[in-house]
């Protein structure tokens, strides 16, 4: 049974604790990985703050890349040495969403073990620890159902590959899969974190015209411009809705909300022009409601859609996104604001709370 170090969430709104954790040996259909890198996503912070309810104790982390160490009985898609990315999308393969081409909507909660089975992770006392999204990548090793993984090219750097596990797939997929952006369309991205900067790159890749980045941290605008923004709006300097209307001559064709605040969702709808589409990517805390004007939607025929995990079919999308990186279209190096050790994870969350980081990546030896 592999013994590893992992960052355990023992309570909400408290620092994660670095502990010794034991993983089971790989069972049928399971793959043991050495974690190479794990990006830190705001959804991990939502769980810590209690905005996404998950029971502690829990090992967070869901944006990983790693190398296969061992496989369980019946695993056919991986062999030791394979480089892989993990994804939270758990697909059963047989329901109407999976067979209908939208496995990211699979409601099965598939976890690869019979219902009622023990967790794959245990603490030093032998008590079970909840595994986040079948991954738990804030840990030196991971034990996952093979279906949570996709094999990638060996020449793809694993720290940059990890970003594709969640943030890049979410943002890029929102622009490439969830909606159809015609070449030349005007696009607004609200929130220039890992998710927003990926949506921004998606808009650039599909040939959008104006791409307006909105953030409350003006230091992010050099990066946003480097990655394809044509204009930037400082949300702390005047009314960002008025600024977008001014820049677009009455509102944008597509607005991606990539933060998850009531206020910025309302701004997103207000920034959307006549006949335009608001895409909600940020996760608003489950306890909160967002008042919007229904008449505004009717009379201007605006559309609002959610976008979940970039509407991914990750075994199809992720290798493609890696090609985009290797051919220069998708820029990942610039998105990594720091590479850190596992025991620096709490500091990374402090920076995220303050908006002082782009994507932070935990790298393992
Ligand atoms: N839909 C999905 O499937 C999915 C998947 C992954 C993440 N998410 C969600 O996407 C959101 C973004 O994640 P992230 O990891 O990029 O977060 P992040 O914290 O890295 O980025 C958020 C950005 O918003 C900016 N910001 C904060 N308040 C602002 C305001 N009032 N006005 C303008 N800018 C403001 C911050 O400066 C920061 O740049 C989170 O809610 C996360 O949970 C959704
Ligand atoms: Zn995420
Ligand atoms: Zn399914």
């Amino acid at each position: 049974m592999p013994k590893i170090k992992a960052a355990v969430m023992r309570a909400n709104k408290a620092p994660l604790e670095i502990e010794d954790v034991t993983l089971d040996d790989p069972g049928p259909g399971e793959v043991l990985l050495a974690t190479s890198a794990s990006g830190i996503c705001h959804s991990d912070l939502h769980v810590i703050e209690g905005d996404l309810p998950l029971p502690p104790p829990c090992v967070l982390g869901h944006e990983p890349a790693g190398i296969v160490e061992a496989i369980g009985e019946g695993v056919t898609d991986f062999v030791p040495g394979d480089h892989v990315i993990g994804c939270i999308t758990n697909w059963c393969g047989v329901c109407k969403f999976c067979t209908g081409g939208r496995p990211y909507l699979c409601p099965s909660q598939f976890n690869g073990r019979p219902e009622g089975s023990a967790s794959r992770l245990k603490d030093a006392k032998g008590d079970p620890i909840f595994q986040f999204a079948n991954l738990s990548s804030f840990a030196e090793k991971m034990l996952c159902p093979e279906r949570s993984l996709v094999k990638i090219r060996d020449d793809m750097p694993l720290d940059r590959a990890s970003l594709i596990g969640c943030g890049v797939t979410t943002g890029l997929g929102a622009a490439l899969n969830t909606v159809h952006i015609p070449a030349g369309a005007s696009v607004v991205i609200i929130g220039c974190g890992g998710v927003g900067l990926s949506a921004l790159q998606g808009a650039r890749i599909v040939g959008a015209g104006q791409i307006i980045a909105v953030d409350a941290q003006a230091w992010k605008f050099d990066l946003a411009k480097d990655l394809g923004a044509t204009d930037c709006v400082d949300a702390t300097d005047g009314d960002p809705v008025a600024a977008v209307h001014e820049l677009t001559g009455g509102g944008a064709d597509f607005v991606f909300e990539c933060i998850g605040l009531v206020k910025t969702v309302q701004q997103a709808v207000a920034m959307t022009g006549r006949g335009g589409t608001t895409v909600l990517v940020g996760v608003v805390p489950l306890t909160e409601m967002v008042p919007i004007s229904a008449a505004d939607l009717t009379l201007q025929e605006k559309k609002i859609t959610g976008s979940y995990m970039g509407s991914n079919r990750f075994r199809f999308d992720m290798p493609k996104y890696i090609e985009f990186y290797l051919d220069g279209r998708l820029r990942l190096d610039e998105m990594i604001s720091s590479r850190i050790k596992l025991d620096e994870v709490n500091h990374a969350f402090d920076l995220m709370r303050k908006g002082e980081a782009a994507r932070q990546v935990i790298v393992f030896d």
Side-chain angles (χ1 to χ4, degrees):
M1 297 218 290
K3 283 196 198 328
I4 55 160
K5 295 267 181 233
V8 182
M9 180 182 79
R10 285 280 166 193
N12 290 118
K13 299 184 196 291
L16 305 183
E17 294 179 24
I18 308 298
E19 295 185 19
D20 293 320
V21 167
T22 307
L23 295 175
D24 289 346
D25 290 322
E30 294 179 347
V31 175
L32 180 70
L33 313 174
T35 315
S36 301
S38 173
I40 300 177
C41 173
H42 206 113
S43 300
D44 297 305
L45 185 55
H46 282 319
V47 176
I48 294 174
E49 307 289 28
D51 294 332
L52 281 175
L54 271 187
C58 173
V59 174
L60 299 174
H62 63 280
E63 196 174 271
I67 300 177
V68 174
E69 280 199 350
I71 57 173
E73 188 193 318
V75 169
T76 52
D77 296 345
F78 302 94
V79 294
D82 279 351
H83 291 196
V84 300
I85 297 177
C87 181
I88 72 167
T89 295
N90 40 23
W91 44 287
C92 75
V94 294
C95 74
K96 72 171 183 181
F97 297 100
C98 287
T99 53
R102 294 192 292 172
Y104 58 96
L105 293 180
C106 177
S108 72
Q109 302 293 324
F110 174 88
N111 96 339
R113 286 189 169 186
E115 221 175 296
S117 294
S119 174
R120 298 181 173 95
L121 284 67
K122 292 181 187 61
D123 69 11
K125 286 192 240 143
D127 292 330
I129 297 182
F130 186 78
Q131 184 179 28
F132 184 28
N134 294 331
L135 297 170
S136 288
S137 60
F138 294 166
E140 292 168 331
K141 294 187 186 194
M142 300 162 56
L143 180 62
C144 310
E146 66 173 324
R147 222 177 261 181
S148 298
L149 306 172
V150 56
K151 181 174 155 57
I152 60 167
R153 290 169 59 156
D154 287 350
D155 57 349
M156 176 69 191
L158 286 163
D159 54 352
R160 278 140 277 176
S162 72
L163 267 52
I164 294 174
C166 179
V168 167
T169 287
T170 297
L172 200 57
L176 266 51
N177 298 332
T178 309
V179 292
H180 171 66
I181 303 176
S186 55
V187 173
V188 174
I189 307 292
I190 310 180
C192 297
V195 172
L197 291 172
S198 302
L200 188 155
Q201 296 204 59
R204 190 197 72 232
I205 288 169
V206 298
Q210 241 178 339
I211 303 178
I212 303 168
V214 182
D215 205 286
Q217 299 279 336
W219 69 268
K220 293 202 165 167
F221 295 153
D222 284 345
L223 177 58
K225 283 194 172 148
D226 188 30
L227 296 178
T230 57
D231 303 271
C232 295
V233 170
D234 182 348
T236 64
D237 181 18
D239 176 12
V241 175
V244 165
H245 277 258
E246 174 78 31
L247 282 165
T248 53
D253 298 323
F254 293 88
V255 180
F256 294 82
E257 200 283 348
C258 301
I259 305 173
L261 296 172
V262 171
K263 184 173 153 197
T264 47
V265 169
Q266 290 174 314
Q267 289 172 345
V269 177
M271 287 173 185
T272 305
R274 301 175 78 80
T277 303
T278 313
V279 186
L280 302 183
V281 185
V283 180
V284 176
L286 300 185
T287 49
E288 293 182 34
M289 294 290 152
V290 184
I292 50 158
S293 159
D296 196 30
L297 301 188
T298 311
L299 302 178
Q300 299 185 46
E301 203 170 288
K302 295 187 189 182
K303 290 177 272 300
I304 302 181
T305 179
S307 175
Y308 183 53
M309 284 305 293
S311 308
N312 79 78
R313 295 127 311 153
F314 71 86
R315 284 192 171 182
F316 169 72
D317 292 313
M318 290 185 180
K320 184 172 66 182
Y321 297 161
I322 283 173
E323 297 301 321
F324 286 179
Y325 171 76
L326 292 172
D327 72 18
R329 266 181 289 184
L330 174 63
R331 311 256 304 275
L332 300 176
D333 299 46
E334 297 82 353
M335 283 178 50
I336 298 181
S337 53
S338 59
R339 290 173 176 77
I340 62 165
K341 299 275 179 211
L342 179 64
D343 60 10
E344 296 170 303
V345 65
N346 292 310
H347 177 62
F349 281 118
D350 287 340
L351 292 182
M352 181 178 272
R353 285 186 185 94
K354 292 187 267 179
E356 288 178 5
R359 209 48 155 192
Q360 305 176 89
V361 179
I362 302 170
V363 288
F364 297 84
D365 298 331

